[in-house]
Amino acid sequence: MSKVKNYFKRLWKALWDSTDLDEKAEAALKEAKARIAEMKKELADVKKAAKNVVAQSKDVIDAAKGKKRRGKKPLNKNKKTKTNNNKSIKK
């Protein structure tokens, strides 16, 4: 009886080893984990963008109420003229 039992065990092991189901399952799991990681990154970007949209919509509401703009200052107000006072004058 044990010979038959061992035969079937070896047969089952040989059949299982001949299939590549476990390799396919491992590859699918690895791919799923990589996709989940990418999705988490993208969701973080979406969250950041959504916060920005909320802030911008509050600015639009404030503008409708007549409040002044709170955002970045215009570029032309921030420009300063440079002078070359560091050069020594030679005679």
Side-chain angles (χ1 to χ4, degrees):
M1 186 76 166
S2 75
K3 287 184 180 183
V4 174
K5 190 175 181 180
N6 285 336
Y7 171 77
F8 283 117
K9 280 185 180 181
R10 285 184 287 143
L11 179 64
W12 179 253
K13 186 173 178 5
L15 288 173
W16 187 251
D17 287 342
S18 68
T19 64
D20 57 351
L21 288 176
D22 51 344
E23 288 88 4
K24 287 182 181 179
E26 288 177 12
L29 182 64
K30 186 177 178 181
E31 178 69 22
K33 286 182 180 181
R35 288 184 182 189
I36 289 171
E38 288 297 318
M39 287 173 54
K40 285 181 181 179
K41 290 177 187 177
E42 289 298 323
L43 283 174
D45 290 344
V46 169
K47 181 180 174 183
K48 185 178 177 181
K51 285 183 180 181
N52 192 17
V53 168
V54 170
Q56 294 294 324
S57 65
K58 288 179 184 177
D59 290 344
V60 170
I61 293 169
D62 289 343
K65 291 179 182 177
K67 294 184 180 179
K68 290 188 176 184
R69 185 175 174 180
R70 300 182 315 170
K72 285 175 117 179
K73 304 293 182 205
L75 279 177
N76 58 1
K77 286 187 177 181
N78 291 332
K79 289 186 177 178
K80 293 181 181 179
T81 57
K82 292 184 178 182
T83 59
N84 289 331
N85 293 335
N86 295 338
K87 290 184 177 180
S88 60
I89 301 173
K90 294 183 181 179
K91 290 185 180 180

